[in-house]
Amino acid sequence: MRKFFMMAMAVCAMTFASCGNKAAQNQSAENTEVETVDLENATADLAAQLAAGDVNKFQEALTATQNKVAELLQNNPEQAQQYLETVQNYLKENAEKVNNLVGDNEVVKATVNTLVETPAQSIIENLKSVVGTTEDAANAAVQGAADQVDAAKQAAQDQVDAAKQAVQDKADEAKQAAQNKVDEAKQAAADKVNEGANKVNEKVNEGANKLLKGAGLK
């Protein structure tokens, strides 16, 4: 009886071990499963915030998009690129609405311009070369947007400086033209004075000559 009981316990132990191994294998398979994403809903949040007309929420949706690209990049670069291309196409197709919503918000504008104007493959390759974790990818995306903002600010400042210089140049030209007019007027007045003085001198000389002739001195 005791021998039979021990054999039964051994069978149970083997059964539990087998189940445990199978569960561990299933868990391992789940952990290594490549993440996939529904591309049809990739722009759902962007579309919702664009329809709502909230630029701040739209910015948050853009940030979430960048984070999702970085997350997918860790295990599935091809899916990450497809996701990014889906977002890029959406932004291009709705460019007018996006631009109207973004307005003068330089941060969001720079982010949108980066996503629209840079080929998806280039963005992915750049992220691959510098990103090691999802957090790093998000930081890289934020830094890229910040760099774009700095560039946009510098370009705007250059335009302001150029406009100021153009105004200054026009003012200088106007001042010089006015000064030239004044100088011309002064010269004309001086010429008139000299002309009048010459005529007076001629009259004086004529009178003196007549006197001299009348006195027999000439």
Side-chain angles (χ1 to χ4, degrees):
M1 184 70 176
R2 182 178 180 184
K3 184 176 182 180
F4 175 78
F5 178 77
M6 294 298 293
M7 289 177 64
M9 290 295 293
V11 171
C12 290
M14 292 175 63
T15 302
F16 288 137
S18 176
C19 292
N21 290 335
K22 185 176 292 186
Q25 290 174 358
N26 292 338
Q27 183 65 36
S28 177
E30 291 177 0
N31 291 338
T32 58
E33 183 179 354
V34 175
E35 181 183 2
T36 59
V37 66
D38 183 4
L39 295 179
E40 293 184 0
N41 294 321
T43 60
D45 194 18
L46 288 173
Q49 302 311 328
L50 182 61
D54 190 331
V55 68
N56 293 324
K57 293 292 184 181
F58 188 75
Q59 180 181 3
E60 292 177 4
L62 284 173
T63 301
T65 296
Q66 293 172 320
N67 291 340
K68 188 62 178 180
V69 171
E71 179 183 341
L72 289 171
L73 184 60
Q74 303 306 302
N75 296 317
N76 195 338
E78 182 178 352
Q79 182 89 95
Q81 183 168 333
Q82 291 175 350
Y83 181 90
L84 180 58
E85 288 173 346
T86 301
V87 173
Q88 288 178 321
N89 290 335
Y90 174 81
L91 292 175
K92 291 176 182 178
E93 292 169 359
N94 296 274
E96 184 175 355
K97 292 181 180 179
V98 171
N99 291 335
N100 290 337
L101 174 63
V102 171
D104 296 329
N105 191 315
E106 295 294 343
V107 175
V108 182
K109 184 186 298 184
T111 303
V112 171
N113 289 340
T114 299
L115 289 173
V116 171
E117 297 174 5
T118 308
Q121 185 175 0
S122 297
I123 295 177
I124 295 299
E125 291 302 321
N126 288 335
L127 286 175
K128 281 183 182 179
S129 64
V130 298
V131 173
T133 65
T134 301
E135 182 178 359
D136 292 336
N139 291 337
V142 171
Q143 184 59 48
D147 291 342
Q148 289 292 327
V149 171
D150 291 340
K153 286 182 178 179
Q154 185 59 50
Q157 186 59 49
D158 291 343
Q159 290 181 349
V160 170
D161 293 341
K164 287 182 178 179
Q165 186 60 48
V167 171
Q168 185 61 47
D169 292 342
K170 288 293 184 181
D172 292 342
E173 289 178 5
K175 286 181 180 179
Q176 187 59 49
Q179 186 60 48
N180 291 340
K181 291 292 185 181
V182 171
D183 293 341
E184 289 175 2
K186 287 182 178 180
Q187 186 61 47
D191 291 343
K192 287 291 184 181
V193 170
N194 291 333
E195 183 180 349
N198 290 335
K199 288 182 179 181
V200 171
N201 288 334
E202 289 176 359
K203 293 294 183 180
V204 170
N205 290 334
E206 288 177 3
N209 288 330
K210 287 181 179 181
L211 290 174
L212 292 174
K213 286 180 179 180
L217 297 176
K218 189 174 180 179

